[in-house]
Amino acid sequence: MVATAKTKALVLFSGGQDSTVCLASALARYDEVETVGFDYGQAHAVELDCREKLRDALARFPGWGAKLGPDHMIALPELGRISETALTRDVEIEMGRNGLPTTFVPGRNLLFFTYAAALGYRRGASVLIGGMCETDYSGYPDCRADTIAALERAICLGMDRDFTLETPLMRIDKAATWALAHELGGDALVDLIIEDSHSCYRGDRSKRHDWGYGCGACPACELRARGYAAYLAGKA
Ligand code: ZN
């Protein structure tokens, strides 16, 4: 019998709804899974606090605990320092003149995947997974499939190693993301995401809605609430 090499995946894990579904999806499909988070001075550092809780809870799903490896945290304070964004500064969350919300951090996902590849190179992880989505999103150009495909090619060439950049949510909307969570881990996973994942740009966990905690008014809360309502409507 020929032993097949185990595939290790590294998930960009922020503690938000999308990256939590990505982590569950990786645990369902790969032999070994590690996580990486980035601290770039985002105002919603509360999202980072959710990470540990979510990882612990996901490790208790059948078969997933044995696959879940270490978590890595990379500090990128310079990214917050050089970007003029509502996530890292006291800037109103609104639409900017460029047609993008003021939460846009230029180049963020390019940097995240490049750092993840550098880490994956050392850790032997050939699959890098991120929750980018161009279906139901704020228009960030670094979330689009074309960008990720070009970045994958640049990383493979620049590191002379085969990496796959996987974005399981790219073509599905937020309602389908909730449905995917249900498919992967049933009501227990949906409930976990509602209770312990965090998406709100304002870092507000003082208000509990049926879709989870958040201010209820920022673009991230609006997307999450609308998606959850559509998910429930689709189930009924
Ligand atoms: Zn919010």
Side-chain angles (χ1 to χ4, degrees), residues 150-164:
L151 183 60
E152 178 183 78
R153 180 159 162 73
I155 286 173
C156 290
L157 288 171
M159 298 194 190
D160 199 16
R161 175 134 354 149
D162 281 335
F163 283 103
T164 303

Side-chain angles (χ1 to χ4, degrees), residues 104-146:
F104 176 56
V105 181
R108 178 174 55 177
N109 291 327
L110 307 181
L111 287 170
F112 285 4
F113 262 130
T114 305
Y115 273 96
L119 178 62
Y121 192 97
R122 173 164 67 81
R123 301 290 304 168
S126 58
V127 180
L128 311 174
I129 303 178
M132 297 80 196
C133 167
E134 66 168 30
T135 305
D136 203 356
Y137 76 135
S138 302
Y140 299 165
D142 58 344
C143 286
R144 296 180 192 141
D146 278 354

Side-chain angles (χ1 to χ4, degrees), residues 210 227-236:
D210 59 347
Y228 187 70
Y231 162 66
L232 287 185
K235 265 188 17 166

